[in-house]
Structure formats: C-alpha cells, structure tokens
Amino acid sequence: MAPMREAFAIGEFSIEAGSRASIKLPAAKLYNDTPLELHVEVFHSKKPGPVLLVCAAIHGDELNGIEICRRLIDKVNMKTLTGTLVVVPIVNVFGFIHQSRYLPDRRDLNRCFPGSAKGALASRLAHLFSNELLKKATHIVDLHTGAIHRDNFPQIRCDTDDEVMMAMATAFGAPVIMDSKSVKGSMRGYANEKGIACILYEAGEALRFSELSIKSGVTGVLNVMRYLGMLNSKLKPTASINASRSYWLRSEADGLVNVKRKIGARVSKGCLLANVVNPLGGEVTELRSPTDGIIIGLTNIPVANEGEALFHIAQFVGDDIEIANEHLDEFISTYA
C-alpha cells in the first residue's frame, strides 16, 4: 500500500489526508474588541497532487468571486479529488463588512504583500495570508471584479511569457487573456516572486453580482483543476484568445455620456461608441473607436469630464480578431 499522505497544516490546525475542514484563522479585531477571522475551506485528498489556492475579495467590495467560491465549494467531491484545494472566499474581511475596496485605514491590501507580523493592519493581514496560505500553494487563482462603477468583461490577466500561467489561463477559458506583469506589493506579485503560478480572473463590477461572470468563473476554476489533474473528468475546452494589447479610450469633452456599445461588444475602427453631450443642450461630441477590438471594460457612470477613461478596448493581431469574435459568440451563447 502507498504510504498515507501527510496532514496539511494551517496555523494551529492539522487536516488529515482524505478529509475536509472549515478553518477560522484569527485575523484581527474591530475597534470594539470583536474578533475577525479568515474563513478557509480545505479539501485535503488522500491522493498526492497540486495545492490549488482559490481566493476572492482581496478588495472587500468585489463580490462575484465570493459567490464563485461558494458554488465551487459545493461542487468538490472528496472521493474523486487529487491534491489539495484551499478556498478563501473573503480575504479582506474588513472591507467586505464595510462594502469597501479598502481596509479601515484606506490601505489597499493588494499593495501590502508580503506584509509584516508587526506592521499596520493591512500589513499584518497580508503577512497572515502569505505565511499560512500563499506559501503552501503550488498554484493560485485570484478572483477579482472591476472597481466601483466600472464593469469588466470576463478576462484572465497573467504573465503570458510564463508557460505554466499561460497554460492555466488557457484552461480557464475566459474569452480574453491579457498579458499583465504583476505589480510589486500585490498578492500575485509576491506569489510570482516565490515561484508560485498565479492567474487573476477579472469579471463584473464591484458591489454587483453578474451571473455570466460567476458561472464562467466557476467553470474556469474547475477547468484549471482538470488541467492540474485534480479532477478525474476531462478538460472542457473553451476558447480563449490572447490580446496583443489594450487601451482606455477617454472622453473628449465634458458632459453626459450616452453609451452606444455594451460591455463585450465587438467594435470596428470608426464605429460610434458614445455621444458626450452638454446637459443643457448644444454641441454633441462623438466618441469613436480608433481601432478594431472588443470592449473589455466600461465605465458605468454616465457623466464625465474631458480625459476620463470610458472604454477599455482589447486589440488583436491580424486574423486573431476574427478568431476572437468567434470565441466571443461561443462564450456568450454558453453563459448568457
């Protein structure tokens, strides 16, 4: 018989092979001395394999990832699982409580890694996450949404020059893969420094649920698990295309923004994206796309000053735009 796999340790907890555990790691306290805990779900199979960490809400107002984690947890079968799955639905528990991107001191947790055991609140939370969770993973899927009032079409961001991350991104199956080098101080940046492959899923808007983003996110994480050999089911191929570049198209005038193209829409060079109008009447400024592409980000506030970013457009090289269009139709028909 093969030797029993060692227990998986997190903090003071030890999860035996072949078991599932719900863990609450002491994170910090509120001003009134109420303790806050980092909730962690661990599925530790008897079969050795990768350790996949799936986490959400590093920014506390980004809710789609939390629901993706909840649905993912319900789909895990310990009898067929290989390796270890660690799920952290809410990393920034403080921001989640206050429906805020940030911590109470206005620090961005995703710029505080690897943190410090004796630093400020954000630094201590990042230190806890880094040492008890991140360093024990072999692969990471980090779930995000756009900022408040800004919608993102489902996309994966990673270093596309890294073979493992690119393979994870392709397996995930979001319609667009964006080449994105990690930012110093981010969780993804620290994971990459430690040689841990980490991809970032961006979909939807802060403080809003998007069923398309959630359903495709759940399928995407399961596809990554299939790619890593953690599930015995076959990888469900879904088409992705790597964007050559992207840019934000900015308002050319002050006023009200009458949007003419939706998130996820295909655009051609010269097509009308929005009219910017004076709220009191008068001149209309047309905002047209300077290139072919796909709208992967959109500002949802219909007022703007000149220079404000309105449309995030992904570009594709040569025939890739036609391939991207076909993949987009397949994705929307599957999840819409």
Side-chain angles (χ1 to χ4, degrees):
M1 292 181 62
M4 176 65 77
R5 192 179 181 202
E6 290 185 359
F8 190 77
I10 296 180
E12 299 179 353
F13 302 90
S14 181
I15 301 93
E16 296 299 325
S19 63
R20 169 187 173 176
S22 297
I23 292 172
K24 295 186 183 298
L25 291 176
K29 293 183 179 181
L30 296 176
Y31 301 125
N32 63 355
D33 203 40
T34 301
L36 285 184
E37 299 162 322
L38 204 60
H39 184 96
V40 184
E41 290 288 332
V42 181
F43 301 83
H44 188 47
S45 169
K46 291 181 179 180
K47 305 171 190 175
V51 178
L52 175 64
L53 171 62
V54 180
C55 58
I58 282 183
H59 296 131
D61 59 356
E62 299 183 0
L63 307 182
N64 282 332
I66 301 173
E67 179 65 6
I68 290 170
C69 288
R70 189 191 68 80
R71 297 187 192 185
L72 174 67
I73 289 167
D74 287 341
K75 291 181 177 293
V76 179
N77 184 344
M78 284 299 305
K79 294 180 180 179
T80 59
L81 180 68
T82 295
T84 303
L85 174 66
V86 181
V87 183
V88 187
I90 306 170
V91 180
N92 182 356
V93 288
F94 297 88
F96 176 69
I97 289 171
H98 294 97
Q99 300 179 12
S100 169
R101 178 184 180 89
Y102 304 106
L103 287 154
D105 59 2
R106 297 296 297 171
R107 281 186 171 87
D108 184 339
L109 179 58
N110 208 28
R111 294 295 181 269
C112 296
F113 284 83
S116 167
K118 296 186 177 180
L121 176 59
S123 187
R124 285 186 282 121
L125 187 54
H127 180 267
L128 172 69
F129 188 91
S130 297
N131 287 278
E132 296 299 339
L133 298 164
L134 182 149
K135 289 181 180 178
K136 297 171 183 176
T138 59
H139 304 78
I140 301 174
V141 177
D142 186 19
L143 304 171
H144 285 258
T145 77
I148 192 167
H149 305 310
R150 182 170 286 179
D151 199 1
N152 279 336
F153 195 66
Q155 58 197 264
I156 290 290
R157 299 181 185 181
C158 68
D159 182 352
T160 57
D161 292 330
D162 185 284
E163 290 184 6
V164 177
M165 283 188 269
M166 189 58 183
M168 290 172 65
T170 303
F172 193 101
V176 178
I177 300 173
M178 303 291 300
D179 180 38
S180 172
K181 303 302 186 272
S182 57
V183 178
K184 186 174 178 60
S186 68
M187 188 275 284
R188 181 163 65 104
Y190 184 60
N192 294 166
E193 285 179 22
K194 291 296 179 181
I196 302 168
C198 178
I199 62 172
L200 189 152
Y201 176 61
E202 280 274 1
E205 178 188 359
L207 295 177
R208 299 287 184 271
F209 269 174
S210 161
E211 190 63 21
L212 179 144
S213 301
I214 293 166
K215 287 166 61 178
S216 62
V218 173
T219 300
V221 175
L222 291 172
N223 275 338
V224 171
M225 294 177 69
R226 293 183 179 101
Y227 157 72
L228 295 174
M230 299 177 71
L231 301 178
N232 57 16
S233 56
K234 292 183 179 180
L235 182 66
K236 296 180 180 179
T238 50
S240 298
I241 191 70
N242 191 11
S244 60
R245 66 178 291 264
S246 69
Y247 62 92
W248 277 95
L249 185 62
R250 298 177 179 275
S251 179
E252 297 176 0
D254 309 303
L256 303 178
V257 183
N258 293 323
V259 173
K260 303 300 182 182
R261 292 290 188 275
K262 297 180 180 179
I263 190 80
R266 291 160 291 220
V267 297
S268 56
K269 183 177 180 180
C271 79
L272 181 65
L273 300 182
N275 286 325
V276 183
V277 300
N278 187 311
L280 304 179
E283 185 177 353
V284 175
T285 301
E286 294 183 339
L287 191 64
R288 295 184 176 273
S289 177
T291 65
D292 295 343
I294 293 173
I295 299 173
I296 60 169
L298 177 65
T299 297
N300 288 329
I301 299 179
V303 295
N305 289 117
E306 182 178 353
E308 289 186 12
L310 298 180
F311 296 90
H312 190 192
I313 298 176
Q315 287 184 270
F316 303 87
V317 176
D319 293 338
D320 282 355
I321 184 62
E322 297 303 325
I323 299 172
N325 287 339
E326 293 175 7
H327 293 178
L328 189 63
D329 289 337
E330 178 184 344
F331 177 82
I332 292 174
S333 66
T334 301
Y335 295 108

